């Protein structure tokens, strides 16, 4: 990787903040994980990218799947380890080669792609570590809502749903389901894009 780009990505990774559990996000995680799990085999391997403090890891593990998480945030890593989850300090922009040798049934990427300066590349990384026919779950905030996600200093790619669908398709996925999640926050109404896709065979 180009040295300047590597240094730039390292600086951005250092800006990632901890993601303590919040009831609303934990509930949404459970709702969407249930939809995704219907598409997975029993005992599926799941990569939780930007795992926070482990709500998705816990959900999948309790249901007999084999999730592992990655994060660049030390506090989240320690919280997950304290709860017995398998988590590694890795960056979504350069997933380990071992993930490609032992690919996953599912990549769970909830509220992480907006933190990438090069999300199209990251989507190719997700495809690289998925089995043929593997499932991607991606959820991202919408631009232009009362929450003004595009003004978050740690958000670099707050895109329209149409743009995300184009990037996911171009990265080698078939779109299976698109949903708009509407929530109410202290700032006002908010929207998340929820996309389930399958890696092309």
């Amino acid at each position: 990787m180009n040295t300047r780009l590597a240094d730039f990505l390292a600086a951005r990774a250092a800006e990632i903040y901890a993601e303590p559990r919040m009831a609303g996000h934990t509930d949404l995680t459970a709702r969407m994980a249930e939809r995704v799990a219907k598409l997975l085999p029993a005992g599926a391997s799941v990569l939780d990218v930007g795992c926070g403090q482990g709500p998705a890891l816990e959900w999948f593990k309790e249901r007999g799947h084999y999730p592992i998480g990655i994060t660049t945030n030390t506090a989240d890593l320690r919280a997950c380890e304290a709860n017995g989850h398998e988590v590694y300090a890795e960056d979504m922009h350069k997933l380990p080669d071992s993930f490609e040798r032992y690919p996953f049934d599912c990549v769970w990427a909830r509220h992480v792609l907006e933190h990438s300066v090069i999300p199209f590349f990251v989507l190719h990384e997700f495809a690289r570590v998925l089995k043929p026919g593997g499932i991607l779950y991606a959820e991202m905030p919408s631009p232009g809502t009362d929450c003004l996600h595009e003004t978050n200093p740690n958000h670099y790619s707050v895109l329209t749903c149409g743009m995300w669908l184009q990037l996911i398709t171009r990265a080698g996925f078939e779109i299976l389901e698109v949903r708009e999640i509407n929530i109410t926050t202290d700032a006002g109404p908010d929207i998340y894009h929820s996309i389930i896709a399958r890696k092309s065979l």
Side-chain angles (χ1 to χ4, degrees):
M1 183 180 289
N2 177 282
T3 301
R4 289 196 303 277
L5 177 58
D7 290 345
F8 183 78
L9 291 176
R12 302 293 73 74
E15 296 168 356
I16 296 294
Y17 44 79
E19 288 283 354
R21 290 190 181 216
M22 294 183 286
H25 280 281
T26 299
D27 291 345
L28 273 175
T29 293
R31 277 174 45 199
M32 301 316 300
E34 187 170 0
R35 298 187 73 84
V36 169
K38 292 176 181 177
L39 302 171
L40 302 179
S45 56
V46 178
L47 175 63
D48 184 356
V49 180
C51 59
Q53 298 192 0
L57 295 172
E58 182 177 285
W59 194 96
F60 283 107
K61 188 175 182 180
E62 286 178 348
R63 287 154 182 82
H65 299 295
Y66 296 93
I68 71 168
I70 62 168
T71 180
T72 58
N73 184 270
T74 303
D76 287 347
L77 178 71
R78 290 175 178 163
C80 286
E81 289 177 336
N83 287 316
H85 298 305
E86 184 178 354
V87 179
Y88 300 95
E90 297 289 352
D91 189 321
M92 63 182 167
H93 297 91
K94 44 183 185 288
L95 297 176
D97 290 341
S98 60
F99 288 1
E100 185 175 9
R101 291 194 297 272
Y102 303 98
F104 295 89
D105 294 297
C106 176
V107 168
W108 176 269
R110 185 174 184 274
H111 290 263
V112 294
L113 282 166
E114 66 269 23
H115 297 288
S116 173
V117 296
I118 43 175
F120 187 40
F121 176 80
V122 172
L123 287 165
H124 279 272
E125 282 290 276
F126 292 170
R128 181 173 67 86
V129 302
L130 270 173
K131 296 176 182 177
I135 298 297
L136 167 66
Y137 179 70
E139 184 180 309
M140 301 75 66
S142 175
T145 73
D146 288 356
C147 288
L148 296 174
H149 292 285
E150 56 269 34
T151 67
N152 183 323
N154 195 228
H155 286 178
Y156 313 113
S157 300
V158 183
L159 309 178
T160 65
C161 188
M163 190 69 243
W164 283 120
L165 292 173
Q166 284 294 316
L167 293 180
I168 291 169
T169 301
R170 294 177 198 177
F173 291 93
E174 171 195 0
I175 304 299
L176 300 181
E177 178 180 298
V178 182
R179 300 173 74 86
E180 185 178 276
I181 299 175
N182 293 276
I183 64 171
T184 301
T185 71
D186 291 341
D190 200 11
I191 300 171
Y192 300 154
H193 309 306
S194 170
I195 301 168
I196 301 175
R198 176 181 285 120
K199 179 181 173 179
S200 300
L201 296 173

